[in-house]
Amino acid sequence: MSSSSLPVSSDVPCTTDLMVRDVDGQYRPALAEEVLQGARRVLAHRVRRGAAMSSPQVVKDYLRLQIGSLEHELFIVLFLDAQNRLLAARPMFRGSVTQTSVYPREVVKEALGLNAAGVILSHNHPSGAAEPSRADEYLTQTLKAALALVDVRVLDHMVVAGAEVVSFAERGLL
């Protein structure tokens, strides 16, 4: 087993190369959770309102950090304007370890409320397998049809499991 696949406890220093300053002004090795929080802040800054979603890699990195390590399913929608700039990144539905109920009506309502022209759908698989299920494919088609009725395009649906992200668009599933 490689060191990159070992679970990392948040109360153990991540590496001696990454240091943080404590309240006394002294430097100490950063804890794993501190490194992740810093990475989330950097990516949140990159993926902020008005940021162009021109790179699938930026979206994948953002989603990996936001939902990749959750122990429950979370369905997030990135709402975009006509130039694919971010209007909002909204966690829409929270589920259990194995499933989440997603309501197309709520996604359509949110898209209309934000005046979105497009969306990127995403959810995580706490099981660790990013492979989309038949239910994921059916949900994507249902959401795509519902959003098309109000002229909102589904640009992608990304399934996140740990560090792995599967894109429906890259697989030709849209």
Side-chain angles (χ1 to χ4, degrees):
M1 181 180 270
S2 71
S3 62
S4 63
S5 64
L6 294 174
V8 178
S9 172
S10 63
D11 60 345
V12 176
C14 184
T15 176
T16 56
D17 295 335
L18 298 170
M19 306 292 281
V20 294
R21 191 173 8 188
D22 63 20
V23 293
D24 298 327
Q26 301 297 314
Y27 285 92
R28 62 171 174 73
L31 300 178
E33 187 58 33
E34 292 170 318
V35 173
L36 290 173
Q37 286 174 354
R40 284 186 192 105
R41 279 193 301 273
V42 168
L43 284 170
H45 181 69
R46 283 188 189 171
V47 182
R48 66 189 183 289
R49 183 177 173 84
M53 296 289 106
S54 57
S55 165
Q57 193 58 49
V58 170
V59 177
K60 286 179 180 182
D61 291 343
Y62 173 77
L63 293 170
R64 230 183 247 116
L65 280 172
Q66 293 300 315
I67 63 175
S69 63
L70 295 178
E71 295 178 355
H72 60 277
E73 281 201 17
L74 188 65
F75 191 88
I76 291 181
V77 181
L78 304 180
F79 295 94
L80 310 171
D81 68 11
Q83 283 75 46
N84 294 337
R85 292 180 303 223
L86 186 67
L87 297 170
R90 298 270 163 84
M92 297 286 299
F93 308 101
R94 185 184 193 277
S96 67
V97 174
T98 57
Q99 66 182 1
T100 301
S101 295
V102 175
Y103 302 97
R105 172 188 174 95
E106 297 302 315
V107 177
V108 170
K109 267 178 36 179
E110 195 71 22
L112 289 172
L114 291 165
N115 200 28
V119 297
I120 296 172
L121 310 170
S122 180
H123 74 283
N124 66 314
H125 282 176
S127 66
E131 195 61 35
S133 67
R134 289 279 181 221
D136 294 338
E137 292 178 29
Y138 177 75
L139 172 64
T140 303
Q141 294 308 317
T142 301
L143 286 166
K144 186 176 175 182
L147 288 161
L149 293 172
V150 292
D151 296 322
V152 177
R153 295 171 298 131
V154 174
L155 302 176
D156 206 343
H157 185 164
M158 295 185 178
V159 180
V160 182
E164 187 180 359
V165 181
V166 172
S167 163
F168 277 51
E170 289 174 353
R171 288 221 177 152
L173 297 173
L174 286 177

